[in-house]
Amino acid sequence: MDYLLTLSIIFIQPVLWLGIIKVLLNNKKRLSRERNSFNTAIYQNDFELKHFLLGFLLFGIFGSILSILVGTFISVPWIILYEVLLLLNVVLIPYRLFPIIIAGITTLITMIPSIFDYINDNFDSSIDLSMTANQNILFLISLIILISGLFWRYFVGRYNTPEISKNKRGNRVAGYLLNEMTVFPLLVLIPGDQLQKAISFWPTFMVGHQSFSLFLLPVLLSAKMKIFKNVPLKIAKKIGNSIIKLGIFGFILTTGSYFFPIVTLYSIGILIIIYLLILIRIKLQDLKSEKWFSDTVEGVSVIGVRPSTPADKMGVEIGDRIVEVNNKTVHNENEFYEAILSSPTFCRLKLINRNDRIKITESAIYNDSPNELGVVLFK
């Protein structure tokens, strides 16, 4: 066999490097968009890259522990096909990534008899693709879904850049693009000694009469959705909670598939369909909601809050409407900052939240730096 494809896909890890490049490009686009819309970067730090690296580390450890405890083994042809499809997705459709769907497509392709025969003819004959039981793929997809839910729940929606546009009524409204991704290494077992034949020092071990190798499979996670009428962080948590439950349901299906193998492939399809339905349902719920993040003539609307600023510490949230600052009524951005300057070291805000409830909060602020209050308003 020609090992060039195996070596390039498995050891060079193009999915990982393309993932890093895409994250850096996303960061550059966000900063450019913020500076064009608000004359400054709302979030100065490179949170996209930090989330990428943190996900790489935490999800890699968590997922690998579960994978090895269960004894998940995947064939080299499945891995190569999965990564090739991921690469095509990242290169050809970079604005929308489908890692979970691709795992399902990979499984279906490797089950087509003609493809199965081709793989066996062109890859090492010592590798028995039937060894990679469908239960392993079902567990793998369930695990990816679970970790995807954790990514949505604990990483997405923390930094929200508003994008200003006009709705059908001509009112200025703010939308929020949730757009983050990571790649994490998942430790799996590969049946056969194909890796050792490509790399002589690659370690293998025997389980019964079958040899296995350890391998780190790069798994891509993507979270992308544009929100117009709900607080982005709440939406991200809602999506995350639903997907986490789906991942746990997938583990239950995996257990049942060992007793009823016929349900395995159906279970893979059901998980992918439910995953898509979760995203579609929550997107539709956002579109059907009544309240926009819109500009107002009664006070000033908060469309962003910088982390670790006085506004953040005072509990100011996206969607709040500031009607008084230091006991002075405000109707626009100029009046807002003039009221702050009337007391340059202390700020008292009267807010009306999205539930039309009045909230009063106060805090010390940076001397002579009203812009450092940390709120983002309509420009």
Side-chain angles (χ1 to χ4, degrees):
M1 159 188 177
D2 182 4
Y3 292 110
L4 180 59
L5 181 60
T6 303
L7 292 174
S8 61
I9 295 294
I10 292 182
F11 297 106
I12 299 177
Q13 303 288 13
V15 171
L16 173 61
W17 295 111
L18 279 179
I20 293 175
I21 293 172
K22 183 170 175 56
V23 165
L24 294 175
L25 289 175
N26 286 345
N27 172 258
K28 184 177 180 180
K29 289 179 182 178
R30 174 185 61 82
L31 291 175
S32 176
R33 186 170 61 247
E34 290 176 353
R35 287 168 180 151
N36 289 336
S37 300
F38 303 98
N39 300 321
T40 184
I42 297 176
Y43 304 112
Q44 297 285 355
N45 62 348
D46 301 330
F47 69 85
E48 295 95 342
L49 183 58
K50 291 180 180 178
H51 283 182
F52 182 95
L53 297 175
L54 193 59
F56 178 90
L57 178 63
L58 295 181
F59 295 146
I61 294 173
F62 173 73
S64 295
I65 290 174
L66 289 183
S67 176
I68 293 302
L69 286 176
V70 172
T72 307
F73 54 89
I74 310 294
S75 70
V76 170
W78 190 97
I79 291 172
I80 292 177
L81 181 57
Y82 171 71
E83 293 203 41
V84 167
L85 292 178
L86 276 181
L87 286 172
L88 291 175
N89 186 182
V90 173
V91 173
L92 300 180
I93 318 176
Y95 51 86
R96 184 66 66 180
L97 303 177
F98 309 97
I100 294 175
I101 296 176
I102 286 175
I105 293 174
T106 301
T107 303
L108 291 177
I109 291 177
T110 55
M111 290 187 62
I112 298 174
S114 58
I115 301 294
F116 183 92
D117 294 337
Y118 174 82
I119 292 174
N120 273 326
D121 291 340
N122 289 273
F123 287 86
D124 196 304
S125 59
S126 65
I127 293 180
D128 182 7
L129 287 182
S130 64
M131 279 288 298
T132 308
N134 291 327
Q135 287 89 344
N136 283 276
I137 304 298
L138 176 56
F139 173 81
L140 177 65
I141 292 176
S142 300
L143 181 58
I144 295 174
I145 289 175
L146 174 67
I147 295 178
S148 178
L150 294 173
F151 187 55
W152 274 99
R153 176 65 177 79
Y154 295 104
F155 286 73
V156 182
R158 264 61 186 175
Y159 298 85
N160 305 294
T161 300
E163 297 183 10
I164 309 302
S165 60
K166 289 187 178 182
N167 61 14
K168 293 180 180 179
R169 296 182 179 180
N171 299 322
R172 290 201 304 167
V173 296
Y176 300 88
L177 178 62
L178 306 178
N179 186 21
E180 295 203 44
M181 66 171 293
T182 188
V183 175
F184 69 92
L186 182 66
L187 192 62
V188 296
L189 301 175
I190 296 179
D193 58 355
Q194 184 174 356
L195 292 182
Q196 190 179 50
K197 289 184 177 181
I199 305 294
S200 59
F201 57 82
W202 196 263
T204 61
F205 59 94
M206 300 292 295
V207 177
H209 299 290
Q210 178 66 41
S211 61
F212 291 92
S213 301
L214 289 173
F215 176 68
L216 286 173
L217 172 69
V219 178
L220 184 147
L221 295 180
S222 175
K224 186 172 184 178
M225 181 179 293
K226 194 163 187 178
I227 304 299
F228 287 97
K229 301 178 182 180
N230 288 274
V231 177
L233 181 58
K234 292 181 179 179
I235 285 290
K237 288 183 177 180
K238 187 175 183 179
I239 293 174
N241 289 336
S242 297
I243 295 178
I244 288 171
K245 292 176 183 177
L246 179 62
I248 295 173
F249 177 61
F251 292 150
I252 296 174
L253 291 177
T254 302
T255 303
S257 68
Y258 283 96
F259 299 96
F260 306 98
I262 195 172
V263 306
T264 306
L265 291 179
Y266 296 106
S267 297
I268 293 174
I270 288 171
L271 287 178
I272 294 175
I273 291 172
I274 294 177
Y275 175 82
L276 292 175
L277 288 177
I278 288 172
L279 298 178
I280 293 172
R281 175 177 60 86
I282 293 178
K283 176 62 178 178
L284 290 176
Q285 286 178 353
D286 178 66
L287 293 176
K288 292 179 180 179
S289 297
E290 295 182 357
K291 289 189 175 181
W292 293 81
F293 294 103
S294 58
D295 202 357
T296 179
V297 294
E298 299 179 358
V300 291
S301 296
V302 177
I303 56 175
V305 180
R306 295 184 178 91
S308 303
T309 58
D312 186 26
K313 296 174 183 177
M314 285 191 286
V316 180
E317 297 179 340
I318 290 175
D320 285 348
R321 184 157 46 92
I322 302 174
V323 293
E324 287 186 10
V325 179
N326 295 330
N327 299 316
K328 295 183 178 182
T329 302
V330 297
H331 299 91
N332 53 53
E333 186 182 14
N334 289 335
E335 292 181 358
F336 171 77
Y337 286 118
E338 287 175 2
I340 291 179
L341 286 172
S342 67
S343 178
T345 60
F346 184 82
C347 183
R348 184 176 187 273
L349 301 178
K350 181 178 179 181
L351 312 165
I352 299 178
N353 64 19
R354 285 173 62 81
N355 296 320
D356 295 323
R357 294 182 179 179
I358 295 176
K359 179 171 63 175
I360 296 177
T361 182
E362 55 189 27
S363 173
I365 60 175
Y366 307 114
N367 189 27
D368 297 325
S369 299
N371 289 325
E372 295 303 322
L373 182 63
V375 295
V376 180
L377 310 174
F378 278 97
K379 288 289 186 182

